[in-house]
Amino acid sequence: MEQKDILKEIISHCKEYGFVFPSSEIYDGLAATYDYGQLGAELKNNIKTYWWKSMTQLNSNIVGIDTAIFMHPTTWKASGHVDAFNDPLIDNKDSKKRYRADVLLEEYLEKQSHKIQKEVEKGIKRFGESFDKEQFLATNPNVIRIKEKQAQIEARMKTALNENNLEDLRQLIIDLEIVCPISGSKNWTEVRQFNLMFSTSLGSVAGESSTIYLRPETAQGIFVNFLNVQKSGRMKIPFGIAQIGKAFRNEIVARQFIFRMREFEQMEMQFFVKPGEELTWYEHWKEVRKKWHLNLGLGESNYRFHDHIKLAHYANAACDIEFNFPMGFKELEGIHSRTDFDLKQHELHASKKLQYFDPITNESFVPYVIETSVGLDRLFLSVLSASYTEEILEDGSERIVLKIPAALAPYKIAILPLIKKDGLPDKAQEIMRMLQLDYTIQYDEKDSIGKRYRRQDAIGTPFAITVDHETLESNTVTIRNRDTMIQDRISIESLPTFLNSHCSWSTLLGALA
Ligand code: GAP
């Protein structure tokens, strides 16, 4: 199936089974805003739990907080968001569509990488077993030419972005003959900067002084509480503060389902370290976060690191962990070495010291910060898109199965009495009562057992327990594995141990501890 079709399939699957709905759909929806349905809310909560536990439970020097969405407006002046949280936007005069100039250029660069990949494929065909990829990449004239071109574009783009040279950014788009994907024309407007923060008024008086912002990142709630947490928690450097919460950005180019929304959730952790040690910790957190993602089992080849071409105003090193979404590789998580920028700025604007006193050296200093910041909604999409599988079975029938990691699945178990009589429903309910204190369970007695299995496959339930006549005689049930469809007969007594070793939190967190 075409890559683009997969996203469409996933969107309609999400709606059909209650994962994600367009927001305020009865009023024809609100652009780039989505609601999570009954299964989506479960999956989202499970992803949050995986992140929260791995941060706060597996690290004795990381604690979690939950700060307000509204913050004192000076916060955003201090953080640089009022002056510099902008996107460079360009319009196509024919289609009237608006684009981020830097994204148009990034997409152009990505196309060049595809051309290199095509050259490699040609090389494999031509040279067969003797093909040496490294040598080919270093010597093939076409590859060298494309790489040189890429490097030149990257350098020019970096300079234009860093110097806020919007004219040259536009000129680069024109020089590269980039066309609008809708109209196909090169009829571009000037590039303009657009601030992404939403503002509103506090209380009943409107005006400059009462203007506040919906936070565009959760990180600032952590920075302004740095000393509160450090002192009340007697935290010693290095230590981290984690937070999960909503963030808001007036994204102009908001598309691709829940990938880019105006209201979304972030899971951020700020790790406070001694100045000078930040780049060692930066490398450490890159490794830790990569391992965390790979531990989900969605496939190593679906992830890659991408170093930032333009560093944000606060960073001295930054990269993204990108995921192979149905639309291609895109940012999933950012890892940033934020220096002491934020704490120093808050010291300045609040006229308060935000320093750590080191009892060993008897010195005070403003710590440096490594940040890990992952979008919850993007993680949700990565889990769904990698799990979504269409299979043709031996009998020629088709099944759609969500191979969601078991610990994250909305329901862990389906309990299915084979028929609706002979005491089977009573026995099934008894088993449900036994397991429901620890696991989310769906009870289903409607339709044939085959149809019920398909329904559970489609929502990603890893195990289906079937209660049949033999259950009443031997206190055993069949347990069906979603992915292999193999059924085993096991005793009811052994169900808790079985489930504990297949879908409890320790099955997922164990590899990280
Ligand atoms: N505190 C740093 C920060 O906010 P960011 O790279 O702008 O950094 C971090 O955002 C993560 O938040 C991104 O990697 C992405 O997963 C998520 N994110 C950002 N904008 C988003 C949007 N409009 N919709 C959904 N997720 C978004």
Side-chain angles (χ1 to χ4, degrees), residues 216-217 219 249 251 258-261 264 266 268 314 331-334 336 338 371 373-375 378:
E217 61 171 12
R249 294 182 190 180
E251 301 276 4
I258 54 173
F259 180 81
R260 194 177 299 287
M261 298 197 287
F264 57 99
Q266 290 186 316
E268 300 201 295
Y314 48 72
E331 176 184 347
L332 173 64
E333 168 155 1
H336 313 125
R338 283 181 87 128
E371 164 183 75
S373 172
V374 62
R378 287 192 190 177

Side-chain angles (χ1 to χ4, degrees), residues 435-489:
L435 298 175
Q436 75 186 158
L437 289 180
D438 296 312
Y439 299 103
T440 45
I441 299 177
Q442 193 166 67
Y443 177 83
D444 190 2
E445 56 180 27
K446 194 172 172 287
D447 296 324
S448 72
I449 194 76
K451 271 196 186 159
R452 282 182 271 167
Y453 284 153
R454 288 293 163 275
R455 275 205 290 270
Q456 295 305 324
D457 290 344
I459 63 171
T461 310
F463 296 105
I465 293 171
T466 305
V467 175
D468 54 19
H469 291 95
E470 206 179 318
T471 307
L472 302 181
E473 285 159 23
S474 62
N475 249 350
T476 58
V477 289
T478 63
I479 186 150
R480 173 186 180 270
N481 181 305
R482 173 195 69 195
D483 299 343
T484 62
M485 294 187 288
I486 290 173
Q487 298 185 32
D488 291 311
R489 185 162 277 281

